[in-house]
Amino acid sequence: MKPLSHAELAISCRDLRKQYKGSGEVVYAVNGLDLEIRSGECFGLLGPNGAGKTTTIEIFEGLLSPSSGDVEVLGMYWGENDNELRQKIGISLQETRFPEKLKVLETLELFRSFYREGRRPEDVMETVGLTEKAGSLVGKLSGGQRQRLAVACALVGNPRLLFLDEPTTGLDPQSRRKLWDVIRRFREEGRAVLLTTHYMEEAERLCDRVAIIDHGEIIAVGSPVELIAGLGGEHIVEFSMNNGADIPVDVLEDLPAVLEVRADGNGISLTVSEPHIAIPALIQSLQSHERSLSRLTTRHASLEDVFVNLTGRHLRDDEISSS
Amino acid sequence: MMKYHPLNELLKARIREFLREPETIFWVYVFPVLIAIGLGIAFSNRPVNRVFVDIQEHVIAEDIAANLKQDSVFIVAIHTESECKERLRLGKSLVVVIPGEGFTYLFDPTRPESVLARQSVDDALQRAAGRRDAVLTMDRHVTEPGTRYIDFLIPGLLGMNLLAGSLWGVGYYVVDIRVKKLLKRLIATPMKRVHFLIASIGGRMIFMIPEIIVILGAGVLFFKVPIRGSIFSILILSFLGAFSFTGVGLLVACRARKLETVSGLMNLIMLPMYLLSGVFFPPERFPGIMQIPIQALPLTQFNYALRALILDGMSLASQGWRLGIILAWGGISFLLTLRWFRWN
Ligand SMILES: Nc1ncnc2c1ncn2[C@@H]1O[C@H](COP(=O)(O)OP(=O)(O)O)[C@@H](O)[C@H]1O
Ligand SMILES: [Mg+2]
């Protein structure tokens, strides 16, 4: 990556660390992070629960101070230009419960009042699709509507940089898409977005670049396409055999177009460059070993596979059962 | 001029939240009036207007009953010996007249009503038998407004309510929004922290005005409690008191991360003051060694000053050092709050 000038960088951090001293042992929530987020890109922090995403983003937001390391946000530093920085960033925390007894428009007017220059609350409601809910009490909103209100509160100060911590967690697919649209439009205006997610699909669809974090460390950075291409094969073939039968791994590894073999739950998962070569070879091999298939699926490789490939674990525990 | 001023919007938000919460309205405005009415009725020193007398069965029982019934105060009944004892024990009668050689009175000497009943029954029966009073006597009743229990109670209730309202309205509120991560969200904006504190206190000062009107109004309307001092002074005193209590509320909420913590701390502060600071009875009832801490409590001094203004018509200036103690609590609490407040 060529070095970027400060004007082109929304956020940069070097050797960022955050330790928590709990009862006895020290937790390294963020453990030596180097990141550069450019203006005009949507950057995703992808990682399982407890990876350190929230800690990282809250350090960037000026809500937590790092144990060590340098952070530069929009060319400014926390502790020097705090008010100026807060004027220019928009934030949606992982969980905020807005006052239930305020109406949507009232909440936005409240947040608008904190900013020198901002957008009209009515316009922001339009952007996130809450106009019909202007007069509804926040307590009466659905989960998706509340999340859109949180994003609206982040947008109402007309920020140059938007931080969204798990903006779509727990939302239904439709609400999720609506939020994606809002985020895309913001990015298209040339501003930067940093979001965290543990949905790989979200990161793939929405982010220009992602950093995969695990245990407070970055284990991969790049565009979703680059990262998936890094697997060597872009396809995943998953299968299992009747009666829970087994087959030696080296048999599978020797099959043509198979790049990697991994036992996965109660089946086996192959990373494959050309499925039309690998699958017939697999079926033939199983027949010659007198094994019969109970299941065979094939799909495009995803960031999930990148994560599994790097860590041997799934991003979310619940994905083990579904794969 | 900005269309949206942060202080203005914060204050509006507080007021809206308050008005849209029917529960708070009940606790802040309705509940104290209910207490006042309840206690006012329970302790309104009503004249003794009914004396329950039983007469044990006897040939002259009917005659005795007829004599007593001439005074409508006596509610007379005739029963057997065992019934009479049982009814006395259960408090259904206050005294039993046992006819025989003269009369024997059966009564409970530890119950004041019983003793009084024995006395009045005896007087009535003696007069009926022909006793003449040696000296002419007359009764005059003292139930003047300003000296009754309810007159003592109403200012105390106002003090108690201002304390509770300030602690809950600020202390609980702050911890609640801290728990909900709303406080964190707010300080992530360019909002000035002092604006937030001012709006929290300001909201409380606004809700206080109807509180004063409702409680004192109920006192005047239902019980004819006299307001002898100037309304303006009473308002100023209430303002200063509520302001100081708000400071204590903020201090209590300073670090707490859980609603349980702040509720516990607030009860720890409120309950002793309800008891010691002269809400329901004068603090002088406690022994001498306890007086120093009791007199140092802000609610004690607030209640003294409020009673002096309301019942004795004193001026605010005459309560100078009491105000000093009240404001010292507020001032120190605010300073500590600014130092220790957990924004994050
Ligand atoms: N205030 C804290 N005290 C102690 N440990 C913490 C604290 N906040 C976070 N952690 C720990 O730091 C790690 C990273 O947490 P977090 O940044 O919230 O992860 P993520 O957002 O990726 O789920 C976790 O192991 C978490 O338990
Ligand atoms: Mg998180």
Side-chain angles (χ1 to χ4, degrees):
Chain A
M1 195 198 303
K2 74 176 165 58
L4 290 159
S5 78
H6 285 244
E8 290 171 290
L9 280 179
I11 302 173
S12 70
C13 73
R14 206 150 305 285
D15 198 25
L16 190 65
R17 284 168 199 277
K18 178 78 182 177
Q19 282 110 261
Y20 289 111
K21 281 176 203 71
S23 49
E25 62 182 301
V26 181
V27 179
Y28 296 91
V30 177
N31 201 7
L33 232 61
D34 294 303
L35 264 185
E36 290 194 334
I37 294 158
R38 303 163 197 160
S39 0
E41 80 175 340
C42 177
F43 193 97
L45 293 178
L46 183 61
N49 276 331
K53 304 182 297 293
T54 297
T55 308
T56 306
I57 204 168
E58 289 190 352
I59 291 172
F60 294 159
E61 291 164 348
L63 290 170
L64 285 177
S65 47
S67 304
S68 68
D70 300 319
V71 179
E72 191 178 330
V73 180
L74 298 171
M76 294 179 274
Y77 299 93
W78 289 110
E80 288 178 16
N81 316 84
D82 290 10
N83 193 273
E84 208 46 41
L85 265 169
R86 290 197 183 104
Q87 293 281 357
K88 296 206 164 106
I89 61 175
I91 289 174
S92 164
L93 298 174
Q94 186 168 347
E95 44 163 341
T96 303
R97 273 147 63 209
F98 290 97
E100 307 222 322
K101 298 287 172 184
L102 288 189
K103 295 175 180 169
V104 168
L105 180 59
E106 292 165 356
T107 307
L108 285 170
E109 285 172 343
L110 174 65
F111 276 84
R112 170 64 187 86
S113 74
F114 303 141
Y115 296 89
R116 230 177 11 237
E117 290 151 28
R119 295 174 56 187
R120 288 178 60 229
E122 292 81 0
D123 295 345
V124 180
M125 279 194 302
E126 191 68 50
T127 307
V128 302
L130 277 179
T131 305
E132 321 89 273
K133 292 283 167 191
S136 303
L137 293 179
V138 172
K140 300 261 187 269
L141 297 183
S142 70
Q145 289 164 342
R146 279 179 206 220
Q147 205 53 50
R148 276 184 276 151
L149 173 64
V151 173
C153 288
L155 292 174
V156 78
N158 199 19
R160 279 175 52 195
L161 171 58
L162 191 58
F163 292 101
L164 305 172
D165 196 358
E166 306 217 3
T168 65
T169 298
L171 297 191
D172 57 278
Q174 199 195 348
S175 302
R176 189 170 294 163
R177 284 210 183 88
K178 278 187 191 161
L179 260 180
W180 289 353
D181 287 339
V182 172
I183 297 166
R184 282 199 192 100
R185 258 176 283 148
F186 181 85
R187 195 204 71 111
E188 277 157 17
E189 292 163 12
R191 305 185 234 199
V193 182
L194 175 61
L195 65 85
T196 74
T197 182
H198 58 238
Y199 296 115
M200 44 85 192
E201 186 202 359
E202 178 162 284
E204 263 173 62
R205 298 239 189 136
L206 199 56
C207 297
D208 302 299
R209 290 195 307 142
V210 297
I212 298 180
I213 342 188
D214 193 29
H215 298 307
E217 290 174 47
I218 293 181
I219 53 177
V221 193
S223 71
V225 174
E226 277 166 21
L227 290 175
I228 292 166
L231 287 172
E234 297 193 2
H235 299 270
I236 304 292
V237 174
E238 289 162 324
F239 69 94
S240 48
M241 286 160 286
N242 278 329
N243 313 321
D246 228 337
I247 190 161
V249 169
D250 49 349
V251 172
L252 299 171
E253 276 174 344
D254 289 343
L255 294 175
V258 171
L259 299 163
E260 190 156 325
V261 181
R262 209 160 29 75
D264 192 7
N266 52 2
I268 294 173
S269 152
L270 309 176
T271 308
V272 159
S273 55
E274 286 161 292
H276 63 280
I277 296 173
I279 292 172
L282 170 67
I283 290 171
Q284 207 174 13
S285 165
L286 289 176
Q287 273 167 353
S288 65
H289 285 83
E290 293 176 353
R291 304 281 195 274
S292 59
L293 275 174
S294 66
R295 176 177 68 99
L296 179 97
T297 57
T298 167
R299 58 178 172 81
H300 276 278
S302 69
L303 285 176
E304 174 77 15
D305 300 302
V306 176
F307 184 81
V308 173
N309 189 47
L310 289 169
T311 65
R313 288 178 291 118
H314 279 272
L315 209 45
R316 284 191 300 160
D317 300 337
D318 54 298
E319 243 143 70
I320 291 172
S321 50
S322 68
S323 65
Chain B
M1 187 61 202
M2 263 198 283
K3 186 175 172 200
Y4 304 108
H5 190 276
L7 206 46
N8 195 10
E9 292 298 320
L10 280 165
L11 206 52
K12 275 199 315 211
R14 278 303 286 129
I15 294 170
R16 282 168 173 154
E17 282 183 84
F18 183 82
L19 294 179
R20 287 172 192 168
E21 192 70 78
E23 266 176 63
T24 22
I25 303 275
F26 173 81
W27 288 111
V28 174
Y29 298 135
V30 183
F31 183 64
V33 172
L34 292 181
I35 293 192
I37 293 174
L39 290 177
I41 290 170
F43 290 92
S44 65
N45 324 0
R46 258 176 300 136
V48 182
N49 52 10
R50 284 193 295 176
V51 176
F52 293 89
V53 188
D54 280 1
I55 302 166
Q56 192 174 309
E57 280 181 350
H58 194 272
V59 279
I60 61 161
E62 288 292 348
D63 299 337
I64 300 171
N67 277 334
L68 284 174
K69 278 178 184 164
Q70 290 184 356
D71 190 339
S72 62
V73 135
F74 298 112
I75 315 287
V76 190
I78 300 171
H79 290 285
T80 63
E81 181 182 352
S82 60
E83 278 172 351
C84 281
K85 281 188 180 149
E86 177 72 0
R87 283 167 53 81
L88 184 67
R89 192 175 64 77
L90 294 175
K92 288 183 180 169
S93 68
L94 295 172
V95 60
V96 179
V97 182
I98 307 171
E101 272 180 54
F103 304 121
T104 306
Y105 298 121
L106 194 63
F107 68 102
D108 178 355
T110 63
R111 285 181 64 197
E113 307 98 280
S114 203
V115 175
L116 288 173
R118 181 224 167 265
Q119 201 58 49
S120 9
V121 168
D122 185 49
D123 281 348
L125 292 177
Q126 296 289 1
R127 282 198 201 106
R131 187 184 80 184
R132 290 285 161 270
D133 290 333
V135 182
L136 182 68
T137 58
M138 273 184 297
D139 293 343
R140 243 164 71 189
H141 294 160
V142 190
T143 50
E144 271 171 56
T147 58
R148 304 157 306 167
Y149 178 63
I150 189 74
D151 304 310
F152 178 86
L153 182 66
I154 290 283
L157 281 181
L158 180 54
M160 173 177 110
N161 216 48
L162 290 179
L163 175 70
S166 300
L167 289 188
W168 286 101
V170 176
Y172 191 87
Y173 166 74
V174 163
V175 179
D176 186 44
I177 69 166
R178 187 182 284 136
V179 169
K180 290 177 172 162
K181 302 277 164 75
L182 180 59
L183 192 57
K184 187 176 184 178
R185 179 66 188 86
L186 286 174
I187 61 147
T189 72
M191 178 191 78
K192 290 196 173 60
R193 295 172 183 200
V194 64
H195 281 168
F196 173 81
L197 292 177
I198 293 174
S200 303
I201 299 163
R204 178 59 207 140
M205 300 315 258
I206 292 170
F207 311 140
M208 187 201 73
I209 296 169
E211 237 170 282
I212 300 171
I213 296 172
V214 165
I215 295 178
L216 291 187
V220 171
L221 210 64
F222 300 135
F223 300 107
K224 306 216 162 27
V225 173
I227 309 282
R228 301 206 168 104
S230 89
I231 300 282
F232 184 70
S233 303
I234 294 170
L235 269 179
I236 298 283
L237 174 66
S238 303
F239 250 85
L240 296 177
F243 186 72
S244 276
F245 299 150
T246 319
V248 177
L250 277 175
L251 181 61
V252 165
C254 232
R255 313 281 310 160
R257 286 189 219 250
K258 283 191 197 148
L259 288 175
E260 289 83 354
T261 313
V262 77
S263 306
L265 284 173
M266 289 193 311
N267 282 329
L268 200 66
I269 288 178
M270 287 189 295
L271 297 182
M273 281 207 250
Y274 288 178
L275 199 66
L276 302 174
S277 288
V279 173
F280 299 101
F281 49 85
E284 284 77 11
R285 294 230 185 134
F286 291 98
I289 35 160
M290 287 180 72
Q291 287 303 322
I292 293 174
I294 289 176
Q295 296 299 322
L297 292 173
L299 185 61
T300 310
Q301 297 306 332
F302 181 80
N303 283 343
Y304 277 131
L306 193 60
R307 289 197 177 104
L309 260 57
I310 293 179
L311 302 176
D312 304 332
M314 308 274 268
S315 71
L316 197 58
S318 69
Q319 305 299 309
W321 64 271
R322 298 198 191 281
L323 288 176
I325 292 182
I326 297 168
L327 288 176
W329 276 89
I332 292 169
S333 300
F334 279 124
L335 287 180
L336 295 178
T337 298
L338 289 177
R339 245 186 111 84
W340 289 340
F341 200 83
R342 189 196 297 279
W343 288 98
N344 214 331

